Amino acid sequence: MFNLILFGPPGSGKGTQSIKIAEKYYLKHISTGDILRNEVKEQTVLGKEAQSIINNGALVLDELLIQILHSVIENNRGVTGFIFDGFPRTTVQADALDQLMLKVNSAINYVISLEVDDDDVKKRLLKRADIEGRKDDNETTINNRLDVYKSQTSPLLNYYDKQDKLVKVEGTGSIDDIFESICGKFKD
Ligand code: ADP
């Protein structure tokens, strides 16, 4: 299998690049943000629980995310690989993901970190707020999401660097140029 994690602050372009990478390498794209937004839309038990957390820019409970990932991985046995977008976001989730991959006799190959500075990210998210109308793309929530990213998620860079899996990619520029530089990092 070929398994990737797309890593970066909110608004760094993880979703956009994940879709392109999934298409090129025939990977199953897993966006926990999309999964959660769908649960909210359907007003499932999980969706009702997650709604206010997401709108505040905080993180949904690790246990819930790990359960979701567990079933997605189990239900997709036989795929070429996975691209994880928005997961893991905490060290607890990262540990759990390593275990889940082990269970299917696999592992994460690369963690691609999209590097975009705070000001750019904020501009992009505020622009997206006008276009897509996501409830969590308002200034207060954006600031919270960036704080949560710094305190809870960015320590994972070190976690994956230690495993020698971390690849940094400049996340500003055209979508296609960024895509090319990501693909150029994979060794065959
Ligand atoms: P972004 O990367 O732009 O912040 P996402 O669509 O990935 O947006 O996530 C939106 C929200 O969904 C997050 O702010 C968080 O509340 C929740 N969420 C998504 N993935 C996770 C996760 N792995 N763990 C906890 N909460 C998550």
Side-chain angles (χ1 to χ4, degrees):
M1 285 175 91
F2 184 53
N3 302 303
L4 305 173
I5 295 173
L6 241 279
F7 198 85
S12 57
K14 297 188 293 285
T16 308
Q17 296 297 334
S18 294
I19 291 167
K20 289 173 74 73
I21 298 165
E23 207 170 69
K24 176 166 179 175
Y25 296 99
Y26 307 102
L27 306 177
K28 170 82 185 163
H29 174 212
I30 300 176
S31 157
T32 47
D34 286 348
I35 293 172
L36 291 170
R37 273 185 292 278
N38 194 50
E39 298 281 334
V40 172
K41 199 172 112 215
E42 303 291 332
Q43 285 291 291
T44 62
V45 176
L46 168 64
K48 285 182 185 159
E49 203 175 322
Q51 192 159 16
S52 62
I53 301 174
I54 295 173
N55 292 344
N56 285 324
L59 293 183
V60 176
L61 273 183
D62 284 333
E63 290 93 290
L64 288 179
L65 267 298
I66 293 165
Q67 257 176 45
I68 292 173
L69 262 287
H70 181 81
S71 60
V72 175
I73 291 171
E74 283 299 324
N75 292 334
N76 284 283
R77 293 268 190 158
V79 294
T80 315
F82 292 103
I83 179 156
F84 299 101
D85 160 10
F87 186 92
R89 261 177 154 93
T90 62
T91 40
V92 172
Q93 292 180 14
D95 276 327
L97 182 60
D98 281 344
Q99 299 304 318
L100 290 173
M101 295 314 291
L102 260 182
K103 270 206 202 162
V104 292
N105 296 315
S106 200
I108 298 298
N109 297 86
Y110 294 99
V111 178
I112 301 135
S113 168
L114 287 174
E115 312 273 302
V116 181
D117 68 42
D118 268 18
D119 284 348
D120 279 348
V121 151
K122 274 192 205 168
K123 272 189 221 142
R124 289 186 193 181
L125 291 171
L126 287 171
K127 200 168 146 202
R128 185 169 79 184
D130 293 335
I131 302 165
E132 293 179 19
R134 253 175 66 168
K135 276 219 178 94
D136 59 346
D137 284 344
N138 61 73
E139 199 148 9
T140 317
T141 304
I142 289 170
N143 286 330
N144 281 344
R145 282 156 64 203
L146 288 171
D147 286 346
V148 166
Y149 175 78
K150 277 189 197 125
S151 59
Q152 303 193 51
T153 307
S154 69
L156 290 185
L157 288 168
N158 193 33
Y159 178 94
Y160 288 112
D161 197 21
K162 276 196 205 142
Q163 295 186 9
D164 233 4
K165 292 179 177 170
L166 185 67
V167 169
K168 291 188 177 173
V169 172
E170 173 59 53
T172 34
S174 81
I175 289 174
D176 286 337
D177 286 348
I178 297 165
F179 179 60
E180 290 306 318
S181 38
I182 293 173
C183 299
K185 303 283 184 185
F186 306 142
K187 303 177 199 99
D188 23 45

